């Protein structure tokens, strides 16, 4: 599932995000959502989240079975 819609993401979901410094390369980081930072219901580049590890990035994919 993609990370463009806020309804697809909730705290505790395992996701793949792109960190700010990795935007050019597109390298993804896997983690568990702690907070959803984007207030709008959708975002064209992905919903911004904070992971349990403290990393912040935009969701590219929500792992199947977690939502």
């Amino acid at each position: 599932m993609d990370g463009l819609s806020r309804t697809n993401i909730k705290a505790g979901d395992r996701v793949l995000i792109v960190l700010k410094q990795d935007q050019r390369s597109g390298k993804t980081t896997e983690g568990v959502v702690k907070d959803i930072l984007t207030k709008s219901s959708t975002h064209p580049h992905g919903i911004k989240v904070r992971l349990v590890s403290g990393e912040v990035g935009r969701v590219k994919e929500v792992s199947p079975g977690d939502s």
Side-chain angles (χ1 to χ4, degrees), residues 9 17 33 35-37 47-51 55-57 59:
I9 303 163
I17 66 167
V33 176
D35 301 308
I36 299 174
L37 304 176
I47 300 297
K48 189 179 280 188
V49 298
R50 179 179 296 117
L51 301 181
E55 296 168 304
V56 174
V59 177

Side-chain angles (χ1 to χ4, degrees), residues 6-7 10 14 17 28 32-33 37-38 42 49 54 56 61:
R6 204 168 187 270
T7 59
K10 62 183 183 307
R14 182 162 291 281
I17 66 167
T28 58
V32 176
V33 176
L37 304 176
T38 300
T42 62
V49 298
V56 174
E61 188 177 321

Side-chain angles (χ1 to χ4, degrees), residues 2-55:
D2 69 28
L4 302 181
S5 176
R6 204 168 187 270
T7 59
N8 293 342
I9 303 163
K10 62 183 183 307
D13 283 351
R14 182 162 291 281
V15 295
L16 293 176
I17 66 167
V18 175
L19 301 172
K20 180 78 171 177
Q21 64 267 26
D22 295 332
Q23 284 179 346
R24 286 185 181 268
S25 67
K27 176 180 169 266
T28 58
T29 303
E30 187 173 358
V32 176
V33 176
K34 179 179 180 184
D35 301 308
I36 299 174
L37 304 176
T38 300
K39 297 298 179 201
S40 63
S41 61
T42 62
H43 192 283
H45 301 295
I47 300 297
K48 189 179 280 188
V49 298
R50 179 179 296 117
L51 301 181
V52 173
S53 63
E55 296 168 304

